C-alpha cells in the first residue's frame, strides 16, 4: 500500500461525510464539495493502485 492509496481513501471517506453533512443541513454547496472530494479521492486511490500494480511486475 502506498501513500496515494491511503490519502485517496481518506479523501473518499471525508467527501462522503461532507456530502452527508450537507444533506443534513440542506446545503447544496457542501453536498457538491463532498461529491467532488470523493471523485478526487477515487482518482488518487486509482493512481496509487496503478503504481502498486506496476511495482509488483
Amino acid at each position: 500500500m502506498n501513500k496515494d492509496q491511503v490519502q485517496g481513501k481518506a479523501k473518499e471517506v471525508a467527501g462522503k461525510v461532507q456530502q452527508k453533512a450537507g444533506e443534513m443541513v440542506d446545503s447544496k454547496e457542501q453536498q457538491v464539495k463532498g461529491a467532488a472530494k470523493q471523485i478526487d479521492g477515487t482518482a488518487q486511490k486509482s493512481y496509487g493502485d496503478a503504481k502498486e500494480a506496476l511495482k509488483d511486475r
Side-chain angles (χ1 to χ4, degrees), residues 2-13 15-16 34-52:
N2 60 44
K3 72 174 186 161
D4 287 309
Q5 289 172 310
V6 173
Q7 289 175 343
K9 187 62 180 174
K11 283 182 186 178
E12 283 182 47
V13 172
K16 285 181 185 179
K37 192 178 286 188
Q38 287 179 66
I39 292 168
D40 185 38
T42 301
Q44 185 173 3
K45 184 178 177 300
S46 295
Y47 174 71
D49 291 343
K51 280 180 22 180
E52 280 294 310

Side-chain angles (χ1 to χ4, degrees), residues 15-56:
K16 285 181 185 179
V17 169
Q18 185 174 13
Q19 184 179 14
K20 290 296 180 187
E23 289 173 9
M24 290 174 62
V25 298
D26 198 29
S27 171
K28 294 289 183 200
E29 180 182 0
Q30 289 304 315
Q31 291 176 36
V32 170
K33 285 182 180 181
K37 192 178 286 188
Q38 287 179 66
I39 292 168
D40 185 38
T42 301
Q44 185 173 3
K45 184 178 177 300
S46 295
Y47 174 71
D49 291 343
K51 280 180 22 180
E52 280 294 310
L54 289 175
K55 186 171 76 171
D56 292 341

